[in-house]
Amino acid sequence: MISIRKARTIIKSALAKGKEMELKPLSVVVLDAGGHPIAFEREDGASPGRFEIARGKAYGAVMLGLPGSAQMARAENQAYFMGAMNGAFGGKVVPVPGGVLVKNRKGEVIGAVGVTGDTSENDAEAAVAGIEAAGLFADA
């Protein structure tokens, strides 16, 4: 389980990484293993629709057990599969980098982080930094 304290650390550290990298304003969400939000934060200047994008990145990761990078590859190679998955999940999946699985020491998926606001690759890098700062393990 990801505690609220760890979720807040993930968000704070992901946003700090974004500042260090001079990224556009980010939005970060942390979901539990069931896809439910634990915490969310949107930086000043980030568009209001970013919550849904961040959640969609993290939701796809946790529901499919695949990080956003793997989902994007799957979408490019098997569009019908990702289309079907998005249909099955009510259009909630955003299959691009920035959706990162969170694992414990045993390698078990305990949630996911979604970051949006800059390029998908930069979003993923910020998510990984946040997860690692909380003492957890990232699968981007």
Side-chain angles (χ1 to χ4, degrees):
M1 172 175 141
I2 303 172
S3 68
I4 188 67
R5 184 180 57 77
K6 285 200 182 253
R8 288 178 177 148
T9 297
I10 291 168
I11 290 171
K12 178 182 172 186
S13 300
L15 295 176
K17 182 66 172 180
K19 292 282 187 217
E20 173 189 314
M21 295 173 62
E22 300 181 357
L23 303 183
K24 295 176 184 171
L26 298 179
S27 296
V28 183
V29 69
V30 180
L31 305 183
D32 66 16
H36 305 102
I38 298 170
F40 170 75
E41 192 166 324
R42 178 173 61 93
E43 288 186 300
D44 291 342
S47 62
R50 292 292 178 173
F51 171 76
E52 294 300 338
I53 297 168
R55 182 175 66 167
K57 288 180 175 189
Y59 189 81
V62 78
M63 288 294 120
L64 297 172
L66 296 170
S69 58
Q71 291 176 61
M72 187 169 85
R74 193 88 185 256
E76 289 170 345
N77 294 320
Q78 295 177 311
Y80 62 89
F81 174 79
M82 285 309 297
M85 291 305 96
N86 219 343
F89 293 116
K92 295 179 188 175
V93 175
V94 178
V96 297
V100 179
L101 291 169
V102 180
K103 296 183 177 184
N104 63 18
R105 290 188 194 282
K106 296 178 183 177
E108 301 164 329
V109 174
I110 59 171
V113 173
V115 177
T116 185
D118 205 85
T119 68
S120 293
E121 291 75 17
N122 287 341
D123 294 345
E125 189 173 340
V128 168
I131 293 164
E132 290 176 351
L136 299 168
F137 301 90
D139 183 357

